[in-house]
Amino acid sequence: KEQYYSEQHSSLINKAYQTLLNPLSRGLYLLELNGVEPAQETDCDADSVFLMEIMEINEKLAEPKNENILEEIETLIKVKQEELTKEVTAAFERDDLQEAKKLLAKMKYFANLEDKLKNKKIPS
Amino acid sequence: LVGAPACGDVMKLQVEVDENGRIVDARFKTFGCGSAIASSSLATEWVKGKTVDEALKIKNTDIAKELCLPPVKLHCSMLAEDAIKAALADYKLKQDPNKEESEKKA
């Protein structure tokens, strides 16, 4: 019975750690703690510039593997994620939860790109 | 061009509308899960040959039903419906009465 409890707690702690470690999941959790739901509504033409950028990166990633381009994309994604993390931090600091929500939605797109990039880099 | 912030999927739907307001061609490009790709593919097929007003009647529930989408993927069909609406709204916005044909995208 003790072992069961220990396992449960261990699992929870791991989950908590992972959540807090990653800026996106951390940010989303903070939103949740403040009673704000993460963005659910479709992003549309209002954000078309941003969506086009995401589209372009996706298209580049879909092309046959090219080391140089992959490196370029990796750097771009990293820079964008760092920028967004800073902006989200600032938004939370001034209690602008709606802005944080918008920015976290953007981060989600980049997180997906990061995953796709990782898969692309795995030797096939 | 539409995006789903919850899952980070992006969907591009392009429509070509003739002078009679009928959609003569449609193309899609979607980056996301299989359900999102299937939803946009189906939406593309469905809008072809329809008038703008007919296409606007397409509901996400129709798409989800046709594809037998599980509850967790219902938002993909919603994204497809939004893509159709966005493409057609864009068409209406840019509509030039002097032009014979318009190619609009969302």
Side-chain angles (χ1 to χ4, degrees), chain A residues 39-45 48 51-55 58-59 62 104-105 108-109 112 116, chain B residues 1-12 29-32 78-79 82 86 90 106:
Chain A
Q40 298 291 330
E41 275 166 30
T42 304
D43 289 323
C44 59
D45 292 324
S48 67
L51 289 178
M52 266 192 263
E53 190 185 354
I54 300 296
M55 215 38 176
N58 264 302
E59 282 166 1
L104 287 165
K108 178 63 184 169
Y109 292 102
N112 282 11
K116 284 182 189 158
Chain B
L1 189 50
V2 292
C7 57
D9 290 347
V10 280
M11 198 182 275
K12 185 197 225 179
K29 196 180 247 182
T30 299
F31 293 102
M78 192 65 232
L79 188 63
D82 288 341
D90 200 48

Side-chain angles (χ1 to χ4, degrees), chain A residues 53-82 109-121, chain B residues 31:
Chain A
E53 190 185 354
I54 300 296
M55 215 38 176
E56 271 169 49
I57 304 175
N58 264 302
E59 282 166 1
K60 284 208 188 107
L61 279 176
E63 284 167 21
K65 198 161 155 175
N66 175 321
E67 298 296 341
N68 295 327
I69 297 196
L70 285 185
E71 247 186 71
E72 258 181 53
I73 297 175
E74 188 176 15
T75 309
L76 173 65
I77 294 175
K78 223 175 244 169
V79 167
K80 290 281 176 177
Q81 284 176 315
E82 277 169 15
Y109 292 102
F110 280 106
N112 282 11
L113 287 172
E114 190 185 8
D115 285 339
K116 284 182 189 158
L117 180 74
K118 279 190 191 147
N119 286 329
K120 192 89 179 172
K121 283 166 83 176
Chain B
F31 293 102

Side-chain angles (χ1 to χ4, degrees), chain B residues 89-104:
Chain B
D90 200 48
Y91 157 75
K92 285 189 174 173
L93 208 69
K94 290 177 181 169
Q95 209 180 350
D96 185 337
N98 297 321
K99 271 195 184 161
E100 270 209 332
E101 240 174 69
S102 312
E103 186 173 318
K104 304 299 160 221

